[in-house]
Amino acid sequence: PRRLWAKMAAGSGPGARELFAEGLLQFLRPAVRQLDRHVHSLCRINEDQKVALDLDPYVKKLLNARRRVVLGNNILQNAQERLRRLNHSVAKETVRRRAMLEAGGYQAK
């Protein structure tokens, strides 16, 4: 992940945005797993206690945080896919226009 963040800092433009989105996705996946572990741990602690502790509010907060992280992850994945398709379209249009210019006798300097 550090190399990924270094690449993002070095560049700008669509490629850097794709790297940034991928970096965020790589960050969010472990966060979701960690939230799942915390929820599981709280539930297990509650089951093991002789005296019932009211951990439900904490479990609900963790589950709510997990839901928000997953939602953000989905939004980022969709945005990354749209960006990938847009970059592909731009590249195709660039090739097409370059071919038209070269066919017309224009020489780029």
Side-chain angles (χ1 to χ4, degrees), residues 80-93:
Q80 186 178 23
E81 180 58 26
R82 287 193 306 269
L83 183 60
R84 188 196 62 75
R85 287 193 310 259
L86 180 61
N87 283 338
H88 180 72
S89 295
V90 167
K92 278 177 54 176
E93 182 66 15

Side-chain angles (χ1 to χ4, degrees), residues 61-109:
K61 285 182 181 182
L62 284 170
L63 290 173
N64 191 32
R66 181 191 187 282
R67 182 185 55 78
R68 288 193 311 264
V69 169
V70 169
L71 179 63
N73 187 33
N74 290 341
I75 290 168
L76 284 171
Q77 284 178 332
N78 291 334
Q80 186 178 23
E81 180 58 26
R82 287 193 306 269
L83 183 60
R84 188 196 62 75
R85 287 193 310 259
L86 180 61
N87 283 338
H88 180 72
S89 295
V90 167
K92 278 177 54 176
E93 182 66 15
T94 301
V95 168
R96 186 186 70 79
R97 288 185 181 202
R98 188 171 289 134
M100 280 179 29
L101 288 172
E102 288 172 0
Y106 174 77
Q107 295 296 324
K109 292 183 180 180

Side-chain angles (χ1 to χ4, degrees), residues 29-73:
R29 287 181 192 117
V32 170
R33 286 192 297 273
Q34 189 66 31
L35 286 170
D36 286 340
R37 281 189 218 112
H38 287 312
V39 168
H40 180 71
S41 295
L42 282 176
C43 290
R44 195 179 37 189
I45 289 169
N46 203 26
E47 290 170 0
D48 292 343
Q49 293 298 315
K50 302 291 185 221
V51 177
L53 297 174
D54 188 19
L55 297 177
D56 286 343
Y58 302 105
V59 170
K60 287 179 183 177
K61 285 182 181 182
L62 284 170
L63 290 173
N64 191 32
R66 181 191 187 282
R67 182 185 55 78
R68 288 193 311 264
V69 169
V70 169
L71 179 63
N73 187 33

